[in-house]
Amino acid sequence: MANKNIDLAVVLHNDSDYKGWLVELKERFYSHRLKASCVTNGYLLEFYWKLGRDIEAQQYTNTYGSGFYKNLSQDLKNEMPEIKGFSPTNLKYMSYFYKLYAPLVANRPQVADDFMEGVYSADIQQSAPHNQNRQQGADDFKLLFMIPWDHHCRIISRCKGNMDKALFFVRKTWENNWGRDALLNWLDSDLYERDGKAITNFQSTLPAVQSDLAQQITKDPYQLDFLNLREKYDERDIEENC
């Protein structure tokens, strides 16, 4: 029996069809994992968007001041002690996230809920069709939910309330598969001042599986926290990321 196993291993090792199938399985696995991670990322950012929207709608910070975030953080931790993504700083970024991009849906209050349902039910790898009458705002809004939260925090910090500039770097991140380090380098450059007026046709194809962006989407500690799988990661990765 042992000899047969050894012979079979040798035969399979030399079988070009078998080896090609193994490569295909590996590529298929990572592609499907990336798709799943992108969908999870969308749900996470939808939650952050709505939490920021609720804070602004209730005008809690206007009523209670900046100390409101600390109290909300503690209350959420009391309700969900296993979740570590509700630091006061992270909650502030959720509010900034909503305020910065709210103009994209200002005239369509239900667009976020309706739109996100469509994103999750569709194949994220399908390219957005070119349509001259298509509203750029809808494309930009969709793109917000495709890059990791940590990328958003860095963009929000560097763009200081400039939505056009922030959207420019969101698009560039997706188009060029930028990881965090590449994004930070470009944020500190004059890229927006040089190329910010250029128009690009948005496509929702997945980033390259081996790219830094894809790796960071599939290993995002905020997603692991969202799914309650954070035990493998140091809590500081979440609490101090922003």
Side-chain angles (χ1 to χ4, degrees):
M1 182 66 69
N3 289 335
K4 289 183 179 180
N5 288 337
I6 293 173
D7 292 342
L8 179 59
V10 171
V11 170
L12 289 175
H13 180 75
N14 293 321
D15 187 325
S16 60
D17 290 339
Y18 178 77
K19 289 193 292 185
W21 181 55
L22 282 180
V23 171
E24 179 188 344
L25 287 177
K26 177 182 177 180
E27 292 175 351
R28 190 190 308 168
F29 174 83
Y30 285 120
S31 176
H32 280 64
R33 186 178 71 170
L34 179 56
K35 286 184 180 182
S37 296
C38 286
V39 171
T40 300
N41 185 68
Y43 277 116
L44 172 65
L45 292 181
E46 181 191 13
F47 176 81
Y48 286 177
W49 170 272
K50 290 179 177 178
L51 200 160
R53 178 196 63 188
D54 292 349
I55 291 173
E56 292 305 309
Q58 299 295 333
Q59 298 188 354
Y60 284 124
T61 55
N62 290 339
T63 303
Y64 301 109
S66 59
F68 164 75
Y69 291 107
K70 183 176 180 180
N71 283 273
L72 177 60
S73 173
Q74 188 58 55
D75 288 339
L76 288 172
K77 289 177 181 178
N78 291 339
E79 294 292 331
M80 295 175 279
E82 74 280 7
I83 303 300
K84 301 299 180 182
F86 294 130
S87 68
T89 298
N90 212 30
L91 291 171
K92 287 180 183 179
Y93 272 99
M94 294 175 203
S95 181
Y96 300 154
F97 179 56
Y98 174 77
K99 285 193 293 185
L100 181 59
Y101 300 112
L104 291 175
V105 294
N107 297 322
R108 295 175 294 167
Q110 295 301 316
V111 72
D113 294 340
D114 296 341
F115 185 75
M116 290 313 297
E117 277 191 34
V119 170
Y120 302 138
S121 63
D123 184 350
I124 196 172
Q125 197 165 3
Q126 180 180 358
S127 298
H130 178 69
N131 183 343
Q132 290 182 349
N133 296 322
R134 184 187 60 202
Q135 293 187 357
Q136 183 66 41
D139 286 343
D140 288 335
F141 186 72
K142 179 178 182 178
L143 194 56
L144 293 179
F145 297 87
M146 294 184 179
I147 69 171
W149 178 243
D150 192 54
H151 283 59
H152 276 298
C153 291
R154 283 156 172 72
I155 291 172
I156 292 169
S157 293
R158 295 298 202 282
C159 294
K160 305 298 183 184
N162 186 336
M163 186 183 75
D164 290 338
K165 183 176 182 180
L167 286 172
F168 172 80
F169 281 105
V170 169
R171 294 187 204 110
K172 287 295 183 181
T173 294
W174 189 257
E175 291 168 4
N176 298 302
N177 297 330
W178 285 345
R180 286 185 296 271
D181 292 341
L183 172 62
L184 283 174
N185 287 337
W186 287 112
L187 280 167
D188 290 335
S189 73
D190 63 349
L191 181 65
Y192 175 70
E193 287 69 27
R194 290 188 287 109
D195 298 341
K197 300 299 182 181
I199 298 176
T200 57
N201 291 326
F202 166 72
Q203 290 188 325
S204 61
T205 52
L206 287 170
V209 172
Q210 298 302 324
S211 68
D212 288 343
L213 178 59
Q215 295 298 310
Q216 288 165 11
I217 290 174
T218 56
K219 298 179 181 179
D220 181 11
Y222 288 101
Q223 286 196 47
L224 295 173
D225 189 52
F226 185 55
L227 297 172
N228 198 23
L229 299 173
R230 62 175 175 78
E231 288 82 2
K232 294 181 181 179
Y233 286 80
D234 192 312
E235 293 175 6
R236 290 173 297 178
D237 290 339
I238 293 174
E239 294 181 330
E240 298 179 3
N241 237 3
C242 289

